[in-house]
């Protein structure tokens, strides 16, 4: 009723809106099972004297994302989801919505509901849903019931065939306790069977995901021991997916090996991947990569090297970053560290930039020169903070070396547990609390300024509330023109969240206008749209968006997008 009234007010410039409620004896579909079986039927009629709806548009407006004026720059705002959702809710309540309207003469929407309604008992088959049973934490076993991505009755035959073929080709139906499980995320249907074959040869059972959303669902459901990741996926940017894996406590510890045509190995290692392989790849390279993944999953002990000149700080860092299952070696100088690196393979290195025998950057560059150490993750730690010059130097070095700064004990713990692939739930309580507190105020987002462009104040409020919890500074614009003005007035804006469906100047037009201004050509712009349909992402990118997220906005996905684009910026 709130939606029907809201629409009536929006489309009635003058005249009146009237709500009538009472018993109904007819007016609904004679074939409507729920209403025909009901005793008393109630009618809720919302009548207006507004613009009305032409006959050829009356069925169309009940489809998602549609108005009688179907353009993205239409006069009236809103997502176009309301009537579609209202009709579905009415059906769930055993009722229906009927429309009587003439263009220029107003409309009457009537909601018919049975006063007492008992839905039919659910039956298996078309339209039923199967719920997934998640394995116990830390185990992999047969899953009796798998997640259905859509009701069976709604899947197309092509989708069903594709799913059946995929289920036949991987091992999800034959997983037994004790099996070592590999999640293969690969959109190339010709290459994924090759990866599966090599995984089996190297002691894994494999499950295949051809999209990012499917990969997230399978990772959470099956808790694999390792993951291979293609960065080019049809629905989610691979870097975003990697960030999601490494932000979720349930998947953060799982080793991820990137196998992609995109070649940015240092970036992948900094984000938490264990290695990076550039396509095309040979059978020998795949076997080496999978053998490395298997070795990691079998190895109980992790090795950590701490390089700190001050003895007290060295002990403090070793105590914080070490622990059960971590063998820590602590040395005072760069030369001692280089000697230690020759005799042992380490999973992570912590160092200060002030060393007694060499410059810290010389030490890092010496490590990079040694091919066997190029995939070693390095955390540069100084609780007192790094100078701006040191941060800039590290940023430049980080393009080719997996090095990350940490300027607090919490950040140090976060980076080390990431690189050691430790299970967060198995950490001591004090360390778990430190990480939980850190995640409540993400330092990668804190202090960043974001411009939210949306004509719906409810959307602005919801997004602002979510972002302000991470200490982001949010400013809002209700139109494309206002967005341009605010950008000119606030050149320190770090990222723009742009709604596509706006009245007047729509999001596509606004993004094109922003990109024409030279100083904003590299500004991250994330398009937000309810039109989550095939080709929309490409249309947004063509208009100047850096990336795309559909409504309703998944807050965790949005935060991952922001982290990825802010790190690129």
């Amino acid at each position: 009723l709130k939606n029907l009234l809201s629409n009536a007010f929006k489309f009635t410039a003058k005249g009146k809106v009237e709500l009538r409620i009472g018993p109904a004896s007819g007016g609904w579909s004679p074939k409507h099972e729920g209403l025909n079986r009901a005793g008393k039927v109630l009618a809720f009629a919302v009548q207006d004297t507004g613009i009305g709806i032409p006959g050829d548009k009356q069925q169309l407006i009940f489809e998602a994302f549609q108005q009688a004026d179907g353009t993205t720059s239409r006069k009236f705002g809103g997502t176009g989801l309301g009537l579609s959702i209202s009709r579905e809710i009415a059906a769930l309540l055993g009722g229906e919505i009927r429309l009587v309207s003439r263009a220029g003469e107003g409309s009457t929407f009537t909601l018919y509901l049975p006063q007492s309604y008992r839905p039919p008992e659910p039956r298996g088959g078309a339209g039923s849903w199967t719920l997934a049973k998640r394995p116990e934490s830390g185990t992999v076993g047969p899953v009796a019931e798998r997640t259905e991505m859509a009701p069976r009755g709604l899947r197309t035959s092509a989708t069903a065939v594709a799913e059946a073929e995929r289920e036949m080709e991987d091992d999800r139906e034959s997983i037994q306790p004790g099996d070592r499980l590999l999640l293969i995320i690969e959109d190339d249907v010709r290459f994924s069977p090759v990866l599966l074959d090599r995984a089996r040869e190297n002691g894994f059972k494999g499950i295949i995901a051809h999209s990012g959303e499917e990969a997230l669902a399978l990772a959470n459901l099956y808790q694999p021991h390792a993951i291979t990741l293609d960065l080019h996926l049809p629905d989610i940017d691979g870097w975003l997916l990697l960030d999601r894996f490494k932000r979720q406590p349930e998947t953060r510890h799982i080793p991820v090996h990137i196998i992609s045509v995109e070649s940015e190995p240092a970036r992948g290692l900094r984000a938490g991947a264990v290695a990076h392989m550039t396509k095309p790849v040979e059978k020998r390279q795949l076997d080496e990569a999978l053998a490395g993944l298997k070795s990691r999953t079998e190895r109980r002990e992790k090795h950590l090297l701490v390089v700190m000149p001050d003895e007290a700080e060295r002990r403090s860092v070793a105590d914080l970053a070490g622990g059960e299952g971590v063998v820590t070696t602590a040395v005072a100088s760069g030369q001692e560290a280089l000697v230690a690196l020759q005799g042992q393979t380490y999973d992570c290195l912590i160092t200060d930039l002030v060393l007694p025998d060499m410059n810290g950057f010389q030490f890092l560059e010496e490590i990079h020169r040694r091919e066997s150490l190029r995939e070693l993750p390095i955390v540069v730690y100084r609780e007192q903070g790094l100078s701006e010059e040191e941060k800039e130097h590290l940023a430049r070095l980080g393009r080719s070396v997996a090095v990350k700064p940490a300027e607090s004990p919490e950040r140090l713990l976060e980076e080390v547990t990431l690189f050691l692939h430790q299970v967060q739930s198995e950490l001591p309580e004090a360390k778990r609390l430190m990480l939980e507190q850190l995640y409540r105020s993400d330092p990668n987002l804190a202090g960043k300024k974001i411009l939210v462009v949306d004509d719906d104040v409810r959307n602005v409020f919801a997004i602002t509330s979510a972002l302000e919890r991470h200490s982001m500074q949010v400013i809002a614009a209700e139109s494309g023109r206002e967005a341009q003005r605010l950008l000119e007035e606030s050149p320190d804006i770090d990222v723009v969240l742009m709604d596509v469906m706006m009245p007047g100047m729509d999001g596509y037009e606004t993004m094109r206008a922003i990109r024409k201004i030279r100083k904003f050509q590299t500004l991250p712009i994330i398009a937000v749209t309810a039109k989550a349909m095939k080709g929309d992402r490409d249309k947004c990118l063509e208009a100047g968006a850096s990336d795309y997220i559909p409504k309703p906005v998944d807050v965790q996905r949005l935060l991952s997008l922001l982290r990825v684009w802010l790190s690129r910026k």
Side-chain angles (χ1 to χ4, degrees):
L1 283 175
K2 287 165 70 175
N3 180 60
L4 294 176
L5 288 166
S6 173
N7 284 343
F9 295 139
K10 179 164 63 176
F11 293 104
T12 304
K14 53 188 176 181
K16 66 177 182 177
V17 173
E18 184 176 338
L19 169 63
R20 299 189 305 275
I21 305 172
S25 58
W28 61 85
S29 168
K31 298 180 181 179
H32 196 291
E33 182 182 355
L35 294 173
N36 288 340
R37 288 193 291 109
K40 182 180 290 187
V41 175
L42 298 179
F44 302 79
V46 177
Q47 184 174 13
D48 65 63
T49 59
I51 62 175
I53 303 163
D56 61 346
K57 301 286 187 180
Q58 291 185 14
Q59 183 58 39
L60 181 69
I61 63 167
F62 283 96
E63 297 179 10
F65 318 115
Q66 299 289 343
Q67 289 186 358
D69 174 6
T71 66
T72 56
S73 58
R74 59 185 182 265
K75 179 180 178 182
F76 300 100
T79 64
L81 275 171
L83 284 174
S84 176
I85 292 172
S86 295
R87 183 178 60 176
E88 296 300 323
I89 293 174
L92 290 171
L93 296 171
E96 71 171 8
I97 297 175
R98 306 291 286 180
L99 166 64
V100 176
S101 181
R102 292 181 66 180
E105 297 182 12
S107 305
T108 301
F109 286 86
T110 305
L111 167 65
Y112 293 98
L113 289 179
Q115 186 177 32
S116 177
Y117 174 64
R118 176 176 293 178
E121 291 296 322
R123 300 184 298 272
S128 66
W129 292 78
T130 305
L131 300 179
K133 291 181 179 177
R134 181 173 173 168
E136 294 298 318
S137 178
T139 67
V140 176
V143 181
E145 301 175 31
R146 289 174 290 101
T147 303
E148 296 292 343
M149 302 309 287
R152 292 188 185 94
L154 298 183
R155 286 183 293 168
T156 65
S157 58
T159 303
V161 169
E163 288 184 9
E165 289 175 349
R166 185 157 66 249
E167 289 167 8
M168 287 170 57
E169 74 180 12
D170 69 19
D171 299 318
R172 70 184 72 189
E173 299 294 349
S174 62
I175 301 168
Q176 299 296 324
D179 286 343
R180 202 156 298 279
L181 185 61
L182 176 71
L183 172 58
I184 299 166
I185 307 172
E186 174 60 61
D187 78 325
D188 188 337
V189 294
R190 296 165 300 179
F191 187 52
S192 53
V194 175
L195 280 170
L196 179 63
D197 179 62
R198 300 324 308 155
R200 289 167 173 164
E201 287 291 323
N202 283 276
F204 286 101
K205 283 193 173 178
I207 51 175
I208 296 173
H210 292 307
S211 70
E213 290 294 350
E214 185 183 11
L216 284 168
L218 291 176
N220 286 319
L221 177 64
Y222 288 96
Q223 290 289 292
H225 293 85
I227 296 172
T228 63
L229 172 63
D230 181 14
L231 294 173
H232 289 182
L233 299 171
D235 58 339
I236 297 179
D237 182 274
W239 295 112
L240 172 61
L241 186 58
L242 179 60
D243 183 84
R244 289 286 294 273
F245 284 142
K246 295 306 175 181
R247 290 284 163 176
Q248 293 182 165
E250 300 85 358
T251 57
R252 195 168 189 265
H253 61 281
I254 301 174
V256 178
H257 194 302
I258 296 172
I259 304 177
S260 178
V261 293
E262 196 165 335
S263 182
E264 291 187 74
R267 181 182 176 190
L269 296 172
R270 287 197 309 275
V274 297
H276 186 292
M277 183 183 299
T278 305
K279 293 178 181 178
V281 295
E282 298 176 355
K283 174 177 171 293
R284 172 187 56 80
Q285 292 174 297
L286 284 178
D287 287 340
E288 289 174 357
L290 292 167
L293 279 177
K294 185 181 179 185
S295 173
R296 282 179 178 273
T297 63
E298 292 174 341
R299 188 154 43 93
R300 294 185 177 275
E301 289 183 338
K302 306 294 174 63
H303 289 267
L304 174 67
L305 179 59
V306 178
V307 190
M308 292 282 164
D310 182 80
E311 184 178 354
E313 188 172 20
R314 198 161 57 242
R315 283 200 303 267
S316 173
V317 169
D319 289 343
L320 175 64
E324 186 177 351
V326 180
V327 178
T328 304
T329 303
V331 299
S333 68
Q335 194 57 48
E336 288 178 277
L338 292 172
V339 171
L341 287 165
Q342 287 180 333
Q344 172 66 51
T345 299
Y346 289 92
D347 298 283
C348 181
L349 181 150
I350 304 171
T351 185
D352 194 352
L353 291 175
V354 179
L355 301 175
D357 57 341
M358 65 176 69
N359 178 282
F361 289 108
Q362 292 175 336
F363 173 58
L364 297 176
E365 286 162 1
E366 179 61 32
I367 290 175
H368 180 56
R369 277 195 288 271
R370 302 186 183 191
E371 189 172 348
S372 61
L373 300 178
R374 286 182 184 170
E375 292 184 348
L376 173 64
I378 302 168
V379 182
V380 173
Y381 177 63
R382 189 186 303 152
E383 191 171 353
Q384 296 80 10
L386 301 169
S387 69
E388 289 302 316
E389 184 180 354
E390 287 173 328
K391 290 178 182 178
E392 289 176 10
H393 197 157
L394 278 180
R396 290 195 299 272
L397 193 61
R399 295 169 189 161
S400 55
V401 179
V403 58
K404 295 179 78 174
E407 299 179 82
S408 70
E410 293 82 4
R411 285 302 303 273
L412 175 64
L413 181 63
E414 180 198 25
E415 300 297 357
V416 172
T417 55
L418 175 69
F419 291 138
L420 295 182
H421 299 91
Q422 293 175 291
V423 181
Q424 189 168 320
S425 62
E426 296 177 1
L427 294 173
E429 183 179 6
K431 293 185 179 181
R432 290 203 310 272
L433 291 174
M434 286 177 69
L435 290 175
E436 288 169 7
Q437 178 64 32
L438 181 69
Y439 294 149
R440 277 195 285 270
S441 179
D442 191 331
N444 296 300
L445 302 178
K448 302 297 184 183
K449 184 182 284 190
I450 181 167
L451 171 61
V452 177
V453 188
D454 197 312
D455 66 307
D456 190 326
V457 68
R458 296 166 298 180
N459 294 336
V460 174
F461 176 79
I463 290 174
T464 299
S465 300
L467 297 180
E468 286 184 344
R469 282 198 291 272
H470 293 271
S471 302
M472 297 189 76
Q473 182 182 349
V474 182
I475 58 177
E478 293 186 2
S479 68
R481 305 271 180 217
E482 187 180 3
Q484 288 180 274
R485 178 181 62 79
L486 288 173
L487 280 172
E488 291 288 356
E489 295 174 357
S490 307
D492 58 338
I493 288 172
D494 295 291
V495 62
V496 176
L497 209 56
M498 177 71 66
D499 185 32
V500 169
M501 307 283 282
M502 291 190 297
M505 186 179 186
D506 68 17
Y508 299 123
E509 189 179 350
T510 304
M511 288 187 288
R512 291 189 189 99
I514 291 172
R515 290 303 188 210
K516 288 178 181 177
I517 304 171
R518 185 171 182 178
K519 60 184 174 182
F520 298 135
Q521 286 177 355
T522 59
L523 176 69
I525 302 177
I526 299 172
V528 185
T529 177
K531 294 188 72 175
M533 299 182 185
K534 188 174 181 180
D536 283 341
R537 184 174 187 273
D538 291 339
K539 189 175 179 181
C540 289
L541 298 180
E542 287 170 8
S546 309
D547 217 317
Y548 157 97
I549 188 169
K551 290 180 181 178
V553 173
D554 177 331
V555 173
Q556 293 306 315
R557 180 171 177 176
L558 173 60
L559 294 174
S560 290
L561 264 178
L562 291 174
R563 278 190 294 267
V564 167
W565 283 102
L566 287 170
S567 69
R568 289 182 181 178
K569 180 172 183 288

